[in-house]
Amino acid sequence: MRDSERVVVVGGGVAGLVAARELVLAGHRVLLLERSARLGGQLAAHSVAGIELDAGAEAYALRGDDIPNLLRRLRLEDDIVRPVDAPAWLQRSDGTAVALPATAVLGIPGVPLAQDVIDAIGWRGAMRAQLDTLLPGTVGAKAETVGELVRRRMGRAVLEGLVAPVVRGVHSVSPDELPVDRAAPGLREDMLAQGGLAIAVRARRQAAAAGSLVASLRGGMHRMATALAADLERFGVEVRTGVEVTGADAGGVALADGARIDGRVVLAAPLGVDAPRTRVRVVTLAVDAPELADAPRGTGVLVAPDAPGVTARALTHLTAKWRWLAESTPLQLLRLSYDGEVDATPELARRDAEVLLGRAIPAPVDTAIVEWERRGRRSDAEHAIDGMQRVGEAESGTGLAAVVAYARSVASAIPSDGARDAG
């Protein structure tokens, strides 16, 4: 095969691994280049108190069939796990904590006058949200962002008191920065068809089994990256790590050492991409505190931006959320996320955890701190640049479900002369 018929995938994160796998199975000769020494990007592992945990993404949204189908092909389907069916909590701007509404999507309530909604945002805010049922389905149907949609349909109390903490904790941006079609594909169409936002949320929750909005893998989501890398080796993809690409065009890529590699190019790294960047720090604490095993605040706590006495934007009680983790250690594992500019230390995380869980937290047995750079979706809608295709967060939006689905769609659209069995 001529070099011009080779596909060069630049970037060995999740998008690059998925694209390379799709391409080789479609019959392409594939070369994958990764600047760092390892593959997987934000699907990474680290050890805390001798337990291997996810350092990055620890779950995926159950949206579409792309990830379940991929996990089945990677022979990981028997290890798919669902979180404990318990609510997350909200640390409010007045310093109190309440359970998040049980029937909600992105914090948007499906039953505005439910007691858990009233407890969270007050009677007046819940009554304003109830007006959604009286508005025509067309109101907000053209909203571009989650913030605009919720503000128009349900008002400021729902937006600031429920949706903002959830979006901030999950997507690392404000609701006004998050495109609604990326966060909840089809929600606007459901609202139009059913005549209201609340009823569309209820329908989504009723269609999903309890606790099934997200899932993970026993042993951690990082196992998916390991399995993808193993498949690339099995299918004959050439993988080079420690290689820096400095330039790319439709005919190939230029390397930092001056070499050039010819071939069709798929950019799975943010080479020359002008997209919003958000730095996130994550602190994981392992504490010997068996009294926390009764999950005083469910699976974790999301924090209102102006909540007093707390710097963290979210806490995940890992051993309360995932049974396999609780079964693997007598310790309690707490994961707190911070904005990138915060000097997030283990002591700060311990103090925040005390506030968010409402309990005294002893000095940690072990800790780990990691930093990630998240990329928002770039404003330029053109994804094929000068004959090159782009995949990754800047193209698909954040979240494993979106990244995997988009990488598969782009790779499968590149024509090939032949395909091989994916078994």
Side-chain angles (χ1 to χ4, degrees):
M1 181 179 290
R2 299 189 306 273
D3 284 347
S4 60
E5 296 174 313
R6 171 172 54 192
V7 181
V8 181
V9 178
V10 180
V14 176
L17 294 175
V18 170
R21 187 181 187 277
E22 293 293 318
L23 288 164
V24 72
L25 291 177
H28 295 279
R29 183 158 65 96
V30 182
L31 168 64
L32 185 144
L33 305 175
E34 166 57 37
R35 182 176 61 179
S36 71
R38 69 167 189 87
L39 302 174
Q42 293 184 33
L43 285 188
H46 61 175
S47 179
V48 184
I51 306 161
E52 194 169 64
L53 300 174
D54 286 312
E58 49 106 17
Y60 63 91
L62 289 176
R63 179 198 310 158
D65 297 327
D66 289 275
I67 291 186
N69 287 341
L70 177 60
L71 293 175
R72 176 174 53 80
R73 295 186 181 108
L74 294 173
R75 299 172 177 83
L76 292 173
E77 62 181 331
D78 291 341
D79 289 329
I80 295 175
V81 292
R82 304 289 173 86
V84 171
D85 185 16
W89 280 56
L90 170 67
Q91 188 76 13
R92 302 194 299 177
S93 58
D94 64 359
T96 61
V98 295
L100 281 167
T103 304
V105 172
L106 291 172
I108 304 169
V111 186
L113 292 182
Q115 188 61 51
D116 53 10
V117 178
I118 296 171
D119 290 343
I121 61 172
W123 178 255
R124 181 176 295 180
M127 285 296 293
R128 168 60 184 89
Q130 180 68 12
L131 291 179
D132 166 75
T133 62
L134 303 178
L135 295 174
T138 52
V139 174
K142 294 183 179 180
E144 296 291 332
T145 67
V146 172
E148 182 185 359
L149 175 64
V150 174
R151 189 180 291 109
R152 296 195 65 188
R153 298 291 313 187
M154 293 190 173
R156 178 177 293 182
V158 168
L159 176 61
E160 297 179 356
L162 291 173
V163 177
V166 173
V167 169
R168 180 171 174 255
V170 175
H171 292 278
S172 305
V173 295
S174 76
D176 286 319
E177 296 173 293
L178 183 63
V180 65
D181 289 340
R182 294 291 171 180
L187 183 61
R188 293 187 303 175
E189 290 77 8
D190 292 346
M191 182 184 74
L192 269 172
Q194 301 186 52
L197 182 56
I199 192 171
V201 167
R202 290 201 303 274
R204 288 192 169 213
R205 290 307 306 255
Q206 290 165 2
S212 66
L213 294 182
V214 298
S216 186
L217 287 173
R218 183 179 292 104
M221 283 304 302
H222 57 86
R223 295 182 58 211
M224 186 173 87
T226 302
L228 281 166
D231 257 13
L232 298 193
E233 181 178 2
R234 181 160 68 101
F235 296 138
V237 173
E238 182 184 356
V239 176
R240 302 184 198 173
T241 57
V243 177
E244 183 177 0
V245 174
T246 57
D249 55 48
V253 300
L255 307 184
D257 63 5
R260 178 176 172 84
I261 299 175
D262 292 329
R264 184 164 189 161
V265 176
V266 173
L267 293 173
L271 189 68
V273 171
D274 184 17
R277 302 183 184 189
T278 305
R279 288 189 301 123
V280 179
R281 284 196 173 98
V282 178
V283 183
T284 301
L285 308 178
V287 296
D288 185 7
E291 65 274 14
L292 294 180
D294 63 355
R297 299 283 164 87
T299 58
V301 186
L302 296 164
V303 183
D306 53 353
V310 181
T311 307
R313 67 185 194 194
L315 176 150
T316 302
H317 191 164
L318 293 170
T319 39
K321 185 174 182 178
W322 305 107
R323 287 191 179 90
W324 71 268
L325 264 178
E327 293 166 355
S328 67
T329 176
L331 300 174
Q332 298 297 304
L333 300 171
L334 310 174
R335 171 175 160 144
L336 294 96
S337 60
Y338 293 85
D339 293 329
E341 63 272 13
V342 174
D343 183 15
T345 65
E347 177 56 23
L348 175 63
R350 187 194 67 80
R351 293 198 306 267
D352 282 350
E354 287 190 329
V355 174
L356 295 176
L357 295 179
R359 304 282 184 92
I361 304 294
V365 174
D366 195 14
T367 65
I369 301 176
V370 295
E371 181 174 327
W372 299 105
E373 183 176 85
R374 305 289 300 272
R375 287 184 178 265
R377 191 170 185 267
R378 60 195 180 88
S379 57
D380 185 354
E382 186 63 47
H383 297 282
I385 307 298
D386 297 330
M388 301 178 287
Q389 272 69 40
R390 294 186 185 271
V391 296
E393 276 190 326
E395 316 305 315
S396 64
T398 57
L400 283 174
V403 169
V404 169
Y406 190 77
R408 291 192 67 239
S409 69
V410 169
S412 63
I414 296 176
S416 172
D417 293 334
R420 68 176 74 186
D421 185 3

